[in-house]
PDB file of all heavy atoms in Angstrom:
ATOM      1  N   GLU A  66      78.990 113.944  84.489  1.00 82.00           N
ATOM      2  CA  GLU A  66      78.127 114.750  85.257  1.00 82.00           C
ATOM      3  C   GLU A  66      78.551 114.722  86.737  1.00 82.00           C
ATOM      4  O   GLU A  66      78.277 115.638  87.496  1.00 82.00           O
ATOM      5  CB  GLU A  66      76.678 114.234  85.221  1.00 82.00           C
ATOM      6  CG  GLU A  66      75.909 114.732  83.998  1.00 82.00           C
ATOM      7  CD  GLU A  66      74.628 113.931  83.744  1.00 82.00           C
ATOM      8  OE1 GLU A  66      74.159 113.200  84.662  1.00 82.00           O
ATOM      9  OE2 GLU A  66      74.185 113.889  82.648  1.00 82.00           O
ATOM     10  N   CYS A  67      79.129 113.595  87.149  1.00 79.00           N
ATOM     11  CA  CYS A  67      79.564 113.425  88.510  1.00 79.00           C
ATOM     12  C   CYS A  67      81.013 112.986  88.556  1.00 79.00           C
ATOM     13  O   CYS A  67      81.359 111.777  88.441  1.00 79.00           O
ATOM     14  CB  CYS A  67      78.656 112.554  89.359  1.00 79.00           C
ATOM     15  SG  CYS A  67      78.068 111.136  88.519  1.00 79.00           S
ATOM     16  N   PRO A  68      81.956 113.942  88.691  1.00 81.00           N
ATOM     17  CA  PRO A  68      83.387 113.630  88.693  1.00 81.00           C
ATOM     18  C   PRO A  68      83.721 112.843  89.974  1.00 81.00           C
ATOM     19  O   PRO A  68      83.016 112.870  90.931  1.00 81.00           O
ATOM     20  CB  PRO A  68      84.062 115.005  88.724  1.00 81.00           C
ATOM     21  CG  PRO A  68      83.019 115.941  89.210  1.00 81.00           C
ATOM     22  CD  PRO A  68      81.677 115.428  88.872  1.00 81.00           C
ATOM     23  N   PRO A  69      84.897 112.180  89.964  1.00 85.00           N
ATOM     24  CA  PRO A  69      85.323 111.390  91.129  1.00 85.00           C
ATOM     25  C   PRO A  69      85.446 112.245  92.407  1.00 85.00           C
ATOM     26  O   PRO A  69      85.771 113.419  92.261  1.00 85.00           O
ATOM     27  CB  PRO A  69      86.673 110.887  90.709  1.00 85.00           C
ATOM     28  CG  PRO A  69      86.902 111.138  89.364  1.00 85.00           C
ATOM     29  CD  PRO A  69      85.916 112.220  88.930  1.00 85.00           C
ATOM     30  N   MET A  70      85.179 111.653  93.509  1.00 90.00           N
ATOM     31  CA  MET A  70      85.370 112.361  94.796  1.00 90.00           C
ATOM     32  C   MET A  70      86.817 112.611  95.028  1.00 90.00           C
ATOM     33  O   MET A  70      87.638 111.828  94.691  1.00 90.00           O
ATOM     34  CB  MET A  70      84.826 111.487  95.918  1.00 90.00           C
ATOM     35  CG  MET A  70      83.283 111.263  95.901  1.00 90.00           C
ATOM     36  SD  MET A  70      82.766 110.167  97.163  1.00 90.00           S
ATOM     37  CE  MET A  70      82.743 111.237  98.588  1.00 90.00           C
ATOM     38  N   THR A  71      87.050 113.699  95.721  1.00 92.00           N
ATOM     39  CA  THR A  71      88.442 114.040  96.121  1.00 92.00           C
ATOM     40  C   THR A  71      88.823 113.191  97.357  1.00 92.00           C
ATOM     41  O   THR A  71      87.908 112.768  98.081  1.00 92.00           O
ATOM     42  CB  THR A  71      88.603 115.520  96.444  1.00 92.00           C
ATOM     43  OG1 THR A  71      87.792 115.738  97.625  1.00 92.00           O
ATOM     44  CG2 THR A  71      88.180 116.405  95.323  1.00 92.00           C
ATOM     45  N   PRO A  72      90.129 112.952  97.613  1.00 94.00           N
ATOM     46  CA  PRO A  72      90.541 112.168  98.817  1.00 94.00           C
ATOM     47  C   PRO A  72      89.888 112.806 100.109  1.00 94.00           C
ATOM     48  O   PRO A  72      89.467 112.069 100.970  1.00 94.00           O
ATOM     49  CB  PRO A  72      92.000 112.307  98.844  1.00 94.00           C
ATOM     50  CG  PRO A  72      92.408 112.582  97.452  1.00 94.00           C
ATOM     51  CD  PRO A  72      91.285 113.363  96.831  1.00 94.00           C
ATOM     52  N   ARG A  73      89.808 114.103 100.151  1.00 96.00           N
ATOM     53  CA  ARG A  73      89.269 114.750 101.334  1.00 96.00           C
ATOM     54  C   ARG A  73      87.802 114.375 101.500  1.00 96.00           C
ATOM     55  O   ARG A  73      87.280 114.093 102.538  1.00 96.00           O
ATOM     56  CB  ARG A  73      89.376 116.263 101.172  1.00 96.00           C
ATOM     57  CG  ARG A  73      89.261 116.978 102.463  1.00 96.00           C
ATOM     58  CD  ARG A  73      88.975 118.449 102.207  1.00 96.00           C
ATOM     59  NE  ARG A  73      88.826 119.108 103.499  1.00 96.00           N
ATOM     60  CZ  ARG A  73      89.658 120.047 103.886  1.00 96.00           C
ATOM     61  NH1 ARG A  73      90.693 120.381 103.150  1.00 96.00           N
ATOM     62  NH2 ARG A  73      89.425 120.587 105.038  1.00 96.00           N
ATOM     63  N   GLU A  74      87.028 114.409 100.383  1.00 95.00           N
ATOM     64  CA  GLU A  74      85.552 114.020 100.438  1.00 95.00           C
ATOM     65  C   GLU A  74      85.392 112.568 100.875  1.00 95.00           C
ATOM     66  O   GLU A  74      84.516 112.264 101.603  1.00 95.00           O
ATOM     67  CB  GLU A  74      84.978 114.216  99.050  1.00 95.00           C
ATOM     68  CG  GLU A  74      84.754 115.647  98.643  1.00 95.00           C
ATOM     69  CD  GLU A  74      84.252 115.871  97.202  1.00 95.00           C
ATOM     70  OE1 GLU A  74      84.779 115.112  96.308  1.00 95.00           O
ATOM     71  OE2 GLU A  74      83.433 116.772  96.981  1.00 95.00           O
ATOM     72  N   VAL A  75      86.353 111.678 100.365  1.00 95.00           N
ATOM     73  CA  VAL A  75      86.319 110.316 100.774  1.00 95.00           C
ATOM     74  C   VAL A  75      86.460 110.202 102.280  1.00 95.00           C
ATOM     75  O   VAL A  75      85.718 109.377 102.905  1.00 95.00           O
ATOM     76  CB  VAL A  75      87.378 109.476 100.016  1.00 95.00           C
ATOM     77  CG1 VAL A  75      87.443 108.046 100.577  1.00 95.00           C
ATOM     78  CG2 VAL A  75      87.090 109.424  98.516  1.00 95.00           C
ATOM     79  N   GLU A  76      87.395 110.918 102.831  1.00 96.00           N
ATOM     80  CA  GLU A  76      87.681 110.806 104.261  1.00 96.00           C
ATOM     81  C   GLU A  76      86.455 111.361 105.056  1.00 96.00           C
ATOM     82  O   GLU A  76      86.117 110.772 106.142  1.00 96.00           O
ATOM     83  CB  GLU A  76      88.961 111.525 104.683  1.00 96.00           C
ATOM     84  CG  GLU A  76      90.172 110.765 104.293  1.00 96.00           C
ATOM     85  CD  GLU A  76      90.116 109.253 104.434  1.00 96.00           C
ATOM     86  OE1 GLU A  76      89.781 108.839 105.615  1.00 96.00           O
ATOM     87  OE2 GLU A  76      90.182 108.578 103.445  1.00 96.00           O
ATOM     88  N   GLU A  77      85.819 112.385 104.585  1.00 97.00           N
ATOM     89  CA  GLU A  77      84.597 112.884 105.231  1.00 97.00           C
ATOM     90  C   GLU A  77      83.504 111.827 105.184  1.00 97.00           C
ATOM     91  O   GLU A  77      82.849 111.579 106.171  1.00 97.00           O
ATOM     92  CB  GLU A  77      84.045 114.116 104.491  1.00 97.00           C
ATOM     93  CG  GLU A  77      85.018 115.236 104.414  1.00 97.00           C
ATOM     94  CD  GLU A  77      84.780 116.308 105.439  1.00 97.00           C
ATOM     95  OE1 GLU A  77      83.666 116.874 105.402  1.00 97.00           O
ATOM     96  OE2 GLU A  77      85.661 116.530 106.296  1.00 97.00           O
ATOM     97  N   LEU A  78      83.420 111.206 104.034  1.00 97.00           N
ATOM     98  CA  LEU A  78      82.385 110.181 103.846  1.00 97.00           C
ATOM     99  C   LEU A  78      82.673 108.918 104.736  1.00 97.00           C
ATOM    100  O   LEU A  78      81.752 108.316 105.255  1.00 97.00           O
ATOM    101  CB  LEU A  78      82.270 109.732 102.391  1.00 97.00           C
ATOM    102  CG  LEU A  78      81.077 108.861 102.036  1.00 97.00           C
ATOM    103  CD1 LEU A  78      79.723 109.546 102.305  1.00 97.00           C
ATOM    104  CD2 LEU A  78      81.141 108.457 100.544  1.00 97.00           C
ATOM    105  N   ARG A  79      83.973 108.684 104.943  1.00 97.00           N
ATOM    106  CA  ARG A  79      84.313 107.519 105.804  1.00 97.00           C
ATOM    107  C   ARG A  79      83.750 107.759 107.234  1.00 97.00           C
ATOM    108  O   ARG A  79      83.252 106.755 107.835  1.00 97.00           O
ATOM    109  CB  ARG A  79      85.833 107.355 105.812  1.00 97.00           C
ATOM    110  CG  ARG A  79      86.286 106.094 106.503  1.00 97.00           C
ATOM    111  CD  ARG A  79      87.777 106.048 106.823  1.00 97.00           C
ATOM    112  NE  ARG A  79      88.579 106.129 105.565  1.00 97.00           N
ATOM    113  CZ  ARG A  79      88.920 105.075 104.855  1.00 97.00           C
ATOM    114  NH1 ARG A  79      88.513 103.872 105.215  1.00 97.00           N
ATOM    115  NH2 ARG A  79      89.684 105.270 103.787  1.00 97.00           N
ATOM    116  N   LYS A  80      83.823 108.949 107.679  1.00 98.00           N
ATOM    117  CA  LYS A  80      83.333 109.242 109.059  1.00 98.00           C
ATOM    118  C   LYS A  80      81.841 108.957 109.169  1.00 98.00           C
ATOM    119  O   LYS A  80      81.372 108.421 110.126  1.00 98.00           O
ATOM    120  CB  LYS A  80      83.593 110.704 109.371  1.00 98.00           C
ATOM    121  CG  LYS A  80      85.062 111.014 109.732  1.00 98.00           C
ATOM    122  CD  LYS A  80      85.250 112.448 110.144  1.00 98.00           C
ATOM    123  CE  LYS A  80      86.644 112.963 109.824  1.00 98.00           C
ATOM    124  NZ  LYS A  80      86.692 114.307 109.480  1.00 98.00           N
ATOM    125  N   VAL A  81      81.147 109.407 108.138  1.00 97.00           N
ATOM    126  CA  VAL A  81      79.681 109.194 108.061  1.00 97.00           C
ATOM    127  C   VAL A  81      79.419 107.631 108.015  1.00 97.00           C
ATOM    128  O   VAL A  81      78.591 107.145 108.698  1.00 97.00           O
ATOM    129  CB  VAL A  81      79.055 109.854 106.840  1.00 97.00           C
ATOM    130  CG1 VAL A  81      77.549 109.574 106.816  1.00 97.00           C
ATOM    131  CG2 VAL A  81      79.338 111.366 106.901  1.00 97.00           C
ATOM    132  N   ALA A  82      80.147 106.944 107.140  1.00 98.00           N
ATOM    133  CA  ALA A  82      80.032 105.556 106.896  1.00 98.00           C
ATOM    134  C   ALA A  82      80.153 104.807 108.231  1.00 98.00           C
ATOM    135  O   ALA A  82      79.462 103.867 108.488  1.00 98.00           O
ATOM    136  CB  ALA A  82      80.936 105.057 105.821  1.00 98.00           C
ATOM    137  N   LYS A  83      81.217 105.157 108.991  1.00 98.00           N
ATOM    138  CA  LYS A  83      81.529 104.430 110.205  1.00 98.00           C
ATOM    139  C   LYS A  83      80.408 104.512 111.317  1.00 98.00           C
ATOM    140  O   LYS A  83      80.344 103.647 112.092  1.00 98.00           O
ATOM    141  CB  LYS A  83      82.861 104.930 110.824  1.00 98.00           C
ATOM    142  CG  LYS A  83      84.042 104.385 110.117  1.00 98.00           C
ATOM    143  CD  LYS A  83      85.288 104.747 110.844  1.00 98.00           C
ATOM    144  CE  LYS A  83      86.487 103.915 110.344  1.00 98.00           C
ATOM    145  NZ  LYS A  83      87.759 104.466 110.867  1.00 98.00           N
ATOM    146  N   VAL A  84      79.595 105.501 111.099  1.00 98.00           N
ATOM    147  CA  VAL A  84      78.481 105.619 112.087  1.00 98.00           C
ATOM    148  C   VAL A  84      77.258 104.894 111.441  1.00 98.00           C
ATOM    149  O   VAL A  84      76.614 104.173 112.102  1.00 98.00           O
ATOM    150  CB  VAL A  84      78.131 107.062 112.355  1.00 98.00           C
ATOM    151  CG1 VAL A  84      76.891 107.206 113.234  1.00 98.00           C
ATOM    152  CG2 VAL A  84      79.299 107.827 112.937  1.00 98.00           C
ATOM    153  N   ARG A  85      76.982 105.259 110.163  1.00 98.00           N
ATOM    154  CA  ARG A  85      75.762 104.809 109.528  1.00 98.00           C
ATOM    155  C   ARG A  85      75.688 103.319 109.206  1.00 98.00           C
ATOM    156  O   ARG A  85      74.682 102.682 109.464  1.00 98.00           O
ATOM    157  CB  ARG A  85      75.565 105.665 108.274  1.00 98.00           C
ATOM    158  CG  ARG A  85      74.204 105.356 107.601  1.00 98.00           C
ATOM    159  CD  ARG A  85      74.070 106.231 106.394  1.00 98.00           C
ATOM    160  NE  ARG A  85      72.860 105.735 105.644  1.00 98.00           N
ATOM    161  CZ  ARG A  85      72.578 106.049 104.453  1.00 98.00           C
ATOM    162  NH1 ARG A  85      73.333 106.934 103.831  1.00 98.00           N
ATOM    163  NH2 ARG A  85      71.497 105.582 103.865  1.00 98.00           N
ATOM    164  N   LEU A  86      76.774 102.798 108.570  1.00 98.00           N
ATOM    165  CA  LEU A  86      76.707 101.456 108.071  1.00 98.00           C
ATOM    166  C   LEU A  86      76.570 100.348 109.109  1.00 98.00           C
ATOM    167  O   LEU A  86      75.807  99.405 109.018  1.00 98.00           O
ATOM    168  CB  LEU A  86      77.893 101.211 107.110  1.00 98.00           C
ATOM    169  CG  LEU A  86      78.034 102.087 105.920  1.00 98.00           C
ATOM    170  CD1 LEU A  86      79.204 101.706 105.012  1.00 98.00           C
ATOM    171  CD2 LEU A  86      76.751 102.167 105.146  1.00 98.00           C
TER     172      LEU A  86
END
Side-chain angles (χ1 to χ4, degrees):
E66 278 165 21
C67 39
M70 290 176 82
T71 64
R73 196 198 182 116
E74 285 173 324
V75 171
E76 286 323 300
E77 301 261 299
L78 189 61
R79 189 191 299 274
K80 285 182 207 149
V81 179
K83 279 188 168 169
V84 177
R85 185 178 168 194
L86 302 184

